Amino acid sequence: MPKTRSVWQDTRTFFPIFFDLLKTRGLTSVCVIGASDGKFVLPLARRGIRVVAIEQDPRALHGGPVTLPGPVETTMPGLRKRLTAEGLTDLVQVVQADLLGLAEGMNPVDAVWTSCSWHYSRNHARPLADFITVMNNLCRPRGGILGAEYMMPVEPRHLSIEHYPPEGHVRRFFPGWTINWETYTPPFVEAPHVDQLAEHIHRMGLIIATRP
Ligand SMILES: C[S@@+](CC[C@H](N)C(=O)[O-])C[C@H]1O[C@@H](n2cnc3c(N)ncnc32)[C@H](O)[C@@H]1O
């Protein structure tokens, strides 16, 4: 039983599909982009996988006050304290940075994962292609895999923002890659969670692709 819990723990995810592929292929290093407080980082590290966790939000990394549904005012421990509590610091490199500002020179990893990160408004000033290109370059050539789940348009305002891609849009950013999975949920009701304290509608897409 895990000792610690992410504030995002109960939101819906396609992650088990990505995780199964990692295990099948015996991949051992993963970069999580928009790692937040470690919802995906810790399950990977608990399996002995080396993780690079990229996140720009200091509260997600170092902890701080947070409002959870209820509303409940509490303190989130953040990624670093969770890693320490579970004895996983040696397996995880935490990088506090904006993905779009990352300098060249990070070592490529076997696999890259991101969950609902690129639609954040901080990324809208740059084309979606920029965000995905940085991710793609972190993925090692010849067999590295990239998994991205993302928000799809469900409100009129989303239709004019390319960071909420509709069906079939994302694969154009993976020329020459093998597409392993491309799927979508219907619109669904997401329970209240951190940052969205009322029930709301989401629609999510998933792409998993292998780099040539
Ligand atoms: C929806 S949250 C993560 C929740 C997710 N279910 C999880 O725990 O992985 C997305 C995260 O992506 C981060 N993020 C968005 N754009 C980013 C960027 N350009 N660079 C680094 N982190 C980013 C946000 O700060 C946020 O913590």
Side-chain angles (χ1 to χ4, degrees):
M1 184 70 174
K3 287 189 207 160
T4 65
R5 193 179 152 79
S6 164
V7 295
W8 293 98
Q9 201 63 47
D10 298 326
T11 54
R12 218 172 278 199
T13 179
F14 288 109
F15 181 71
I17 296 174
F18 176 78
F19 197 36
D20 281 350
L21 196 57
L22 279 185
K23 287 188 288 181
T24 305
R25 299 211 183 160
L27 304 180
T28 58
S29 61
V30 178
C31 180
V32 179
I33 291 164
S36 188
D37 68 343
K39 173 176 176 178
F40 303 109
V41 173
L42 274 87
L44 290 163
R46 286 179 196 129
R47 292 291 192 107
I49 292 174
R50 297 207 154 271
V51 185
V52 179
I54 299 175
E55 172 58 56
Q56 56 77 32
D57 177 8
R59 185 187 59 165
L61 296 180
H62 307 293
V66 67
T67 309
L68 297 178
V72 175
E73 304 297 335
T74 184
T75 301
M76 64 188 275
L79 176 60
R80 286 191 184 279
K81 289 194 190 75
R82 293 190 65 213
L83 292 171
T84 301
E86 298 207 22
L88 296 170
T89 50
D90 288 352
L91 280 167
V92 180
Q93 178 191 357
V94 179
V95 179
Q96 183 172 346
D98 185 327
L99 177 77
L100 289 167
L102 269 191
E104 299 281 320
M106 290 198 56
N107 288 332
V109 287
D110 289 342
V112 172
W113 169 254
T114 196
S115 169
C116 305
S117 60
W118 67 50
H119 72 283
Y120 271 55
S121 54
R122 65 179 299 117
N123 303 315
H124 295 180
R126 300 264 298 270
L128 177 56
D130 288 4
F131 194 101
I132 296 182
T133 300
V134 180
M135 290 200 306
N136 289 2
N137 290 337
L138 288 171
C139 193
R140 74 159 159 81
R142 291 175 292 284
I145 63 170
L146 185 144
E149 59 185 6
Y150 54 91
M151 291 297 166
M152 299 178 69
V154 287
E155 296 173 27
R157 72 180 178 92
H158 295 160
L159 297 172
S160 60
I161 304 172
E162 68 158 338
H163 297 68
Y164 293 86
E167 284 188 27
H169 183 87
V170 168
R171 61 166 51 219
R172 74 191 61 186
F173 300 113
F174 297 88
W177 294 50
T178 302
I179 307 296
N180 304 105
W181 276 86
E182 193 174 23
T183 191
Y184 316 97
T185 68
F188 63 89
V189 177
E190 180 81 282
H193 56 75
V194 62
D195 289 349
Q196 284 195 271
L197 298 176
E199 271 190 352
H200 49 286
I201 306 293
H202 277 330
R203 188 172 182 216
M204 287 168 66
L206 168 75
I207 190 159
I208 300 178
T210 301
R211 188 170 177 185

